[in-house]
């Protein structure tokens, strides 16, 4: 598990606002149970270092795949809904 070797140090007061993204990530990282095979994830990440064309994003968990598909669906729906607004709107 990735948290097994994680060392959590006290949070600097300047970054202790719970609404900050860093605070939210810190809360998530220290309270979430990692499922899946973290060793396999590390092997896949290492495999990425040997690719000539590395993907900008690579979902390595079923939740990440689901979230990516949901986002893609939402984006496609938004484009379909507002596509007509782009008629004759060009920037040169």
């Amino acid at each position: 598990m990735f948290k097994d070797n994680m060392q959590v140090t006290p949070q600097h007061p300047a970054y202790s606002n719970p609404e900050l993204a860093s605070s939210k990530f810190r809360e998530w990282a220290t309270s979430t149970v990692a499922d899946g095979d973290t060793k396999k994830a590390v092997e896949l990440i290492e495999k990425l270092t040997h690719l000539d064309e590395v993907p900008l994003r690579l979902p390595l968990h079923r939740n990440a795949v689901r979230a990516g598909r949901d986002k893609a669906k939402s984006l496609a729906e938004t484009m379909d809904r507002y596509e007509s607004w782009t008629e004759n709107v060009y920037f040169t």
Side-chain angles (χ1 to χ4, degrees), residues 1-2 6 11 17-18 34 40 43 47 55-57 60 63-64 69-70 72 74-75 77-78 82-83 85:
M1 178 182 298
F2 81 97
M6 184 169 63
Q11 194 169 21
N17 179 340
K40 183 177 179 182
E43 291 169 356
K47 187 176 180 179
L56 180 61
R57 293 175 183 86
L60 288 179
N63 292 344
R69 289 179 194 221
D70 290 347
S74 173
L75 180 58
E77 289 169 353
T78 299
Y82 297 102
E83 182 178 13
W85 290 27

Side-chain angles (χ1 to χ4, degrees), residues 48 51-60:
L48 282 173
L51 296 178
D52 292 329
E53 294 184 31
V54 179
L56 180 61
R57 293 175 183 86
L58 181 69
L60 288 179

Side-chain angles (χ1 to χ4, degrees), residues 11-75:
Q11 194 169 21
H12 189 280
Y15 304 104
S16 63
N17 179 340
E19 295 305 311
L20 291 175
S22 59
S23 293
K24 291 178 181 182
F25 177 77
R26 182 183 186 90
E27 173 63 27
W28 172 83
T30 58
S31 64
T32 301
V33 176
D35 65 341
D37 187 340
T38 54
K39 183 178 179 197
K40 183 177 179 182
V42 169
E43 291 169 356
L44 292 172
I45 292 168
E46 191 274 334
K47 187 176 180 179
L48 282 173
T49 67
H50 302 285
L51 296 178
D52 292 329
E53 294 184 31
V54 179
L56 180 61
R57 293 175 183 86
L58 181 69
L60 288 179
H61 190 275
R62 66 181 171 271
N63 292 344
V65 171
R66 184 179 338 106
R69 289 179 194 221
D70 290 347
K71 182 67 176 176
K73 180 181 176 197
S74 173
L75 180 58

